[in-house]
Amino acid sequence: MTWWERRTETRRLRKELLRAFPSTAHAAALPALKLVRPSGSTPRGLIQGTWPAITFGGETLEVPGRIAVAFPRHRLEELAPLSRAAAGCIYTRHHDGYIRQRALHLALSQDVDWSAPFLVQLLGEYVVEISTDVHEFLTGAAATHPTTVRGLQHFVEANPSFMELTRARATSYWREYYSRRYWPMQEYPAIRALDQLERGLG
């Protein structure tokens, strides 16, 4: 791939990732997206589809299933706090589970409503340590992150089909990998977190 083709692909990738954020978050997301570069082994960034259409604040968002991009760990400190949180949201879609977990904590470093779709999406995945982190965050979120809580509540109400699919995926992972470790199913961290969200966090 020539440098021009790589530049074109990088621009395409960043443009697609911007569609994961509502317009109110674009100012924060754009500096974070400037750090996004496809990894050497996957020049096209490997965006593996999007989950079903979701809405936030009346806008339709397209959050990717997985991305294979370089993680700019040494450049994140260059970002303003809100942009660092936006970077965290972006990298919760990373193909590496350890990076997704680190990115989650970046996403939660600021009290913003637009992190909600990324937080919920993590609950339909297989890394139980990440689900545990989300569950623990939700337990005290009303006091520490009231804006994030409002975003989560709005997201849950606006996207019942997505919530149903996320619960179905969490249930499948529990049944396949975690039913011996967490019994009954309501003890599984992802299910506990989804129950919290659907009961309300206020």
Side-chain angles (χ1 to χ4, degrees):
M1 178 178 287
T2 67
W3 71 270
W4 179 257
E5 289 172 329
R6 180 170 290 276
R7 182 180 180 185
T8 300
E9 287 298 333
T10 298
R11 286 179 173 175
R12 178 199 59 78
L13 176 62
R14 292 172 180 172
K15 185 176 180 179
E16 290 187 20
L17 288 172
L18 186 61
R19 293 200 290 265
F21 292 91
S23 58
T24 54
H26 284 187
L30 285 169
L33 288 167
K34 289 181 180 178
L35 301 184
V36 172
R37 288 177 173 78
S39 66
S41 60
T42 54
R44 294 182 178 272
L46 191 65
I47 290 188
Q48 294 183 350
T50 58
W51 283 38
I54 57 176
T55 63
F56 188 86
E59 298 179 63
T60 299
L61 306 183
E62 298 177 21
V63 181
R66 281 287 180 269
I67 56 174
V69 295
F71 182 61
R73 56 174 51 86
H74 300 300
R75 299 194 60 193
L76 292 172
E77 292 302 318
E78 300 172 9
L79 298 173
L82 285 177
S83 293
R84 202 174 305 134
C89 291
I90 292 166
Y91 293 103
T92 63
R93 302 292 82 234
H94 200 273
H95 65 93
D96 184 312
Y98 292 105
I99 290 177
R100 290 201 301 280
Q101 187 172 26
R102 181 172 178 178
L104 168 63
H105 293 279
L106 285 172
L108 296 176
S109 65
Q110 299 294 309
D111 183 21
V112 293
D113 57 0
W114 38 261
S115 61
F118 300 91
L119 303 184
V120 174
Q121 193 168 20
L122 289 167
L123 298 175
E125 299 178 354
Y126 61 90
V127 181
V128 70
E129 291 82 3
I130 296 177
S131 296
T132 299
D133 287 350
V134 175
H135 170 249
E136 290 177 353
F137 164 75
L138 294 177
T139 300
T144 62
H145 287 65
T147 303
T148 304
V149 166
R150 287 194 294 274
L152 286 164
Q153 291 172 334
H154 166 77
F155 183 81
V156 169
E157 293 168 3
N159 296 278
S161 296
F162 184 84
M163 297 303 299
E164 184 178 350
L165 174 60
T166 301
R167 183 176 287 274
R169 289 173 65 92
T171 300
S172 294
Y173 284 123
W174 168 80
R175 185 178 295 115
E176 185 70 22
Y177 301 111
Y178 297 112
S179 58
R180 292 185 179 181
R181 182 173 170 185
Y182 297 100
W183 185 268
M185 184 179 68
Q186 285 68 30
E187 294 301 313
Y188 181 50
I191 297 297
R192 294 181 71 183
L194 288 166
D195 287 344
Q196 284 177 296
L197 288 171
E198 291 174 357
R199 285 196 306 266
L201 300 171

